[in-house]
Amino acid sequence: MDNALKYSPRQRTVTVSCSTVGDEVIVSVSDQGMGISLRDQERLFQRFQRINHPSTSGRPGAGLGLYICRAIIEAHGGRIWVESALHQGSTFSFSLPRKEKAQLPMVVF
């Protein structure tokens, strides 16, 4: 939600929705911001990645927020993704399992 507010023009709507699909709960945050190119979407959840666009320059951030979100969500058995088109806004969604999955033994190589 912070990114949706930070990168959307003022007086725009940010929508948060939640639904259940099968064994998952899906939460989505949609904005009416600048949108994200396909090239940027591919690396958006990587460490220290920020979109290089004039509207993002001067805004604070280290490019860790979505990386940390992905790590937390995946640690809980979920997934995170983005759907976006330039100049049309973005929808960031994540899913989490509705029930705790059985713990598998951890194997360290």
Side-chain angles (χ1 to χ4, degrees):
M1 287 182 19
D2 182 56
N3 284 351
L5 294 170
K6 187 188 307 186
Y7 297 115
S8 291
R10 293 178 189 237
Q11 307 302 320
R12 294 292 178 129
T13 302
V14 173
T15 304
V16 179
S17 61
C18 183
S19 62
T20 56
V21 177
D23 291 337
E24 297 180 311
V25 174
I26 298 175
V27 178
S28 299
V29 179
S30 300
D31 65 42
Q32 298 173 333
M34 63 184 182
I36 303 166
S37 71
L38 286 174
R39 179 185 296 178
D40 287 329
Q41 288 178 40
E42 291 175 5
R43 58 188 182 84
L44 198 57
F45 298 98
Q46 296 174 7
R47 188 178 356 189
F48 304 119
Q49 295 299 317
R50 297 193 68 201
I51 295 173
N52 191 10
H53 188 273
S55 67
T56 63
S57 64
R59 301 204 188 230
L64 290 172
L66 291 172
Y67 171 78
I68 293 169
C69 287
R70 186 185 80 185
I72 293 168
I73 290 165
E74 288 179 354
H76 286 87
R79 56 194 174 93
I80 186 170
W81 66 95
V82 64
E83 298 171 53
S84 185
L86 286 175
H87 311 294
Q88 296 180 20
S90 303
T91 299
F92 284 82
S93 301
F94 69 89
S95 69
L96 292 171
R98 292 176 69 184
K99 295 181 182 179
E100 185 175 350
K101 295 181 181 177
Q103 295 292 325
L104 299 175
M106 181 180 283
V107 178
V108 179
F109 296 97

